Every structure is written in structure tokens, then in C-alpha cells.
Amino acid sequence: MMNLESQEEATDTAPVTTKVSPAAKNMLLILSCILLSIGNCGGPLIMRLYFIHGGNRVWLSSFLETAGWPVILIVLIILYFHRRAAAKDGNHKATTFVYMRPRLFFAVAFIGVITGLDDYLYAYGVARLPISTSALILAPHLAFVAFFAYLLVKQKFTPYSINAVVLLTVGAAVLALHTSGDRPEGESKKEYAMGFVMTVAAALLYGFVLPLIELTYNKAKQAITYTLVVEIQIIMCLFATIFCTVGMIANDDFKVIPREAENFELGPTKYYTILCLSALIWQCFFLGVIGVIFCASSLLSGIIIAVLLPVTEVLAVVFYKEKFQAEKGVALVLSLWGFASYFYGEYKLVKKSRNGLQNFQQSIELPQANYSSV
């Protein structure tokens, strides 16, 4: 895996993340962004498809957001055999299958329970609101991420990252100008209002979860490799799934699923296909999130999620024939502008650090040259 597993064995004084080649980290970041994009756009759409055609089990939908975690075991197995092959070549020490220590396990399990609660809040909102409305309500999620990132991990802000946060937040405000009149037919004002409140709560809670994951990396007291990141993903989703499973049992969802499949407008086969695809697509989202945090920061993951919300709006218009007002087009432009602003700031920061490194190397070489001439 392109040296991603270097320095797997570490002491408590190990750095937060192991050293990886820039090329490997960039490739992993690109892959994580792709997975995050697939999950962030596809997850809400397929979840809404379930509710539009006769599904009404909120706990089941929240369960599916993390129930696909066994798929990630395939990634973990591939990483394990890669390390074993490298160990036989003499490049690494003998390796083990699991690297997570008990201290980190309990921290990640706690985050998993919080994630399960957030899954329920989000699923409730999607069940009651159109995709376009739920997406715009989630947009201030970036401001929550920025706030908690500052409190928990002392995230440093540049003028460009601040500009990105402001633009994306303004984009959300522009989207909010036309929220009235989109209440689904047959839904009461109380149900609509509850969906609105639950979605806001989901945005706030997940804005806390992303920096909390980054803080867990920083306080882990062991080297954070991509293998360990995958283990964190599995444990987090496992406990979120357990939380939602308890809710399903209390709500008798397991008993109702066969009957709901028979009454589903698209038929039982498509019903179960939608459930399986939902679990798989949402797993792409979570794997993408932790990958972006590993390669960059929780703030970047929040920015990517925010910039994809208007894209989700466009897809909702295409697939579900939802209205696309001019305000949504303006919000899309603002989001792309904010996204570009963030990456331009990162480009300037990297360029500045490279120039500083070159100047430092030259300052070392000059005295040596003078000494040799003497």
C-alpha cells in the first residue's frame, strides 16, 4: 500500500501519524475524497428513495448508515497480507492483525455510540423533509465543525479557510430563503417541524464528531497508520450499529421488514436491493471521512461535505424532480468558490513551507562552502 504501513510498531511517545511519502498520502487523500463524495451525495438520495416509495422505518434507515462495516474487513485483510509480504522481504518487522489498544478502543466505541445517535437524527430528518431542504439545513454543519475544531484540536485558521467557511455558510443562508412551501403532501406541520429540528441537531452533533475523531488521533498515544484508521472505522461503525439495533428491537423493526418489503411500491426485490445499496454507499461516506481526517484535517472533511450539499440538491432535482430555484444556483457558486478558496490557501501554505525549507538548506550549505574554501 505504498509505504502506508511504515512504522507500525510504536511506543507511547510516537508521533501522531507515521511518516508516509507525499505521493502515497496524496493518492490516499484523493481516494478518500472520491469515497466521501459518493457517500455524501448517494447516501441521502437512496435513503430518500426508500421513504418515497413506502418505507417508513427510521431506525432501520439509521441502522443502514453504518451496518455495512463488515465490508471494511476486506480492506483490513488486504492491508494485513501486504504487511506480511513486506515482512518476508525484510522491509518490516513481523506484524499482527490488530493494532488498536484498549485505551483507544473505548474512546472510539464512545464516538460510535454518538454516531449512532446522529444517524437516527439524520434519518428522521430525511424521512420528513425533501432532499433539497434537508441538505440546506445541514449546510451550517461546516460552521459547527470549525467551532469544535478550534476548541478540541486548536485548528489554525488562515484568511483563506475563514473565507471558505464564510462563503459556505452564506451559501446555506441563501438556500434557506425558499424553505417554505416544500412540505410533503400528507405530512403534518408538527412532523415537518420535528424533521427540521432533528436535522439541525444532526448537523450540530456531527460537527462535534469530526473534530472528536481528530482529537482521538492526537491523544491515542500510538502511531496512527492507515491500518489503525481502518480499525477505528470498523469499531466506530460497529457500536453505532449496535446502538441502532437496540432501537430497531425496541421499535419491532425486524418483525415489520418482511411485511414492508411486500407492500413496497417497487417490489420486494428492489426493496432489499435499496437496503443493501444504502449500507454500502453510506460506508463509502464514513471511510472517506476518516481517510480525509487522517491525510488532512477534520476541517477539510467538513468543507468537502459542505461543498457537496448543493451537488446533492442538483441530483435531487434530476432524480426526484424537486424545484431548483435561482437561490440554489447562487449557493452552488458560493460553495465552489469557498472550496477553491480553501485549496488555494493550502497551496500557498505548502509553497511557503517549501520555500522556507529551501532557504534553511541554503543557509546550512553556505557556511560549509565558505569553510571549505578557507
Side-chain angles (χ1 to χ4, degrees):
M1 299 296 288
M2 300 180 65
N3 296 327
L4 283 174
E5 305 310 324
S6 60
Q7 300 181 10
E8 290 284 359
E9 300 294 335
T11 62
D12 287 345
T13 58
V16 173
T17 57
T18 56
K19 294 181 180 180
V20 297
S21 66
K25 204 161 191 176
N26 288 337
M27 286 190 64
L28 181 58
L29 179 59
I30 292 172
L31 176 60
S32 298
C33 289
I34 293 173
L35 290 173
L36 178 55
S37 300
I38 293 172
N40 195 76
C41 295
L45 291 173
I46 196 165
M47 181 182 287
R48 186 61 183 167
L49 182 65
Y50 163 78
F51 288 113
I52 286 176
H53 291 286
N56 58 9
R57 316 307 295 183
V58 176
W59 276 113
L60 171 61
S61 296
S62 60
F63 167 86
L64 292 173
E65 290 183 58
T66 53
W69 64 265
V71 175
I72 309 301
L73 288 173
I74 299 174
V75 179
L76 197 62
I77 292 171
I78 292 173
L79 291 172
Y80 172 71
F81 282 109
H82 169 76
R83 294 196 308 275
R84 286 196 62 181
K88 290 179 180 178
D89 293 337
N91 298 327
H92 294 271
K93 297 179 181 179
T95 186
T96 58
F97 187 73
V98 178
Y99 285 97
M100 185 178 295
R101 297 174 183 172
R103 181 175 183 271
L104 182 59
F105 173 85
F106 290 112
V108 174
F110 173 72
I111 296 175
V113 173
I114 297 177
T115 302
L117 174 60
D118 185 74
D119 290 344
Y120 175 77
L121 296 174
Y122 178 75
Y124 191 100
V126 173
R128 300 289 182 264
L129 305 174
I131 290 293
S132 56
T133 303
S134 61
L136 67 88
I137 296 171
L138 285 170
H141 153 271
L142 176 61
F144 298 140
V145 173
F147 174 73
F148 287 116
Y150 175 76
L151 290 181
L152 297 179
V153 296
K154 309 301 179 186
Q155 173 72 48
K156 293 181 179 180
F157 290 92
T158 66
Y160 298 99
S161 60
I162 293 173
N163 184 53
V165 172
V166 171
L167 286 171
L168 290 165
T169 304
V170 171
V174 171
L175 284 172
L177 293 177
H178 276 271
T179 57
S180 59
D182 64 346
R183 179 158 50 93
E185 186 177 351
E187 186 172 290
S188 67
K189 291 183 178 180
K190 182 179 179 180
E191 289 175 332
Y192 183 86
M194 280 298 297
F196 191 96
V197 171
M198 290 290 202
T199 306
V200 172
L204 175 62
L205 188 57
Y206 204 64
F208 173 69
V209 167
L210 292 182
L212 189 60
I213 294 173
E214 187 174 356
L215 179 65
T216 303
Y217 288 174
N218 295 343
K219 301 294 184 180
K221 292 187 177 181
Q222 65 180 107
I224 303 297
T225 63
Y226 191 64
T227 294
L228 188 58
V229 167
V230 173
E231 291 179 11
I232 290 173
Q233 161 76 358
I234 291 174
I235 299 302
M236 185 176 70
C237 288
L238 171 62
F239 277 85
T241 304
I242 292 173
F243 178 88
C244 294
T245 301
V246 173
M248 288 182 66
I249 294 173
N251 202 44
D252 290 332
D253 279 10
F254 289 106
K255 296 179 180 179
V256 176
I257 287 175
R259 184 168 69 250
E260 187 175 73
E262 290 296 327
N263 298 327
F264 196 64
E265 293 177 3
L266 302 179
T269 301
K270 290 186 178 180
Y271 174 86
Y272 290 113
T273 301
I274 288 173
L275 297 190
C276 293
L277 284 176
S278 181
L280 182 61
I281 291 174
W282 277 118
Q283 203 54 224
C284 290
F285 170 81
F286 284 106
L287 190 58
V289 164
I290 63 169
V292 171
I293 295 175
F294 170 73
C295 296
S297 67
S298 57
L299 179 62
L300 177 58
S301 66
I303 286 177
I304 294 174
I305 291 171
V307 80
L308 288 172
L309 291 176
V311 177
T312 306
E313 296 250 359
V314 174
L315 293 175
V317 172
V318 173
F319 291 108
Y320 300 141
K321 310 302 179 184
E322 295 184 6
K323 295 180 180 180
F324 189 84
Q325 299 97 336
E327 289 77 10
K328 294 181 181 180
V330 173
L332 179 60
V333 172
L334 289 173
S335 297
L336 293 174
W337 183 8
F339 195 60
S341 175
Y342 176 85
F343 274 100
Y344 180 70
E346 289 298 301
Y347 166 76
K348 290 197 68 175
L349 193 63
V350 171
K351 186 177 180 181
K352 183 178 179 181
S353 63
R354 286 178 179 175
N355 291 337
L357 179 60
Q358 289 176 356
N359 293 336
F360 176 74
Q361 290 174 341
Q362 290 174 359
S363 66
I364 293 176
E365 292 171 357
L366 284 175
Q368 292 177 344
N370 293 333
Y371 180 78
S372 61
S373 64
V374 174

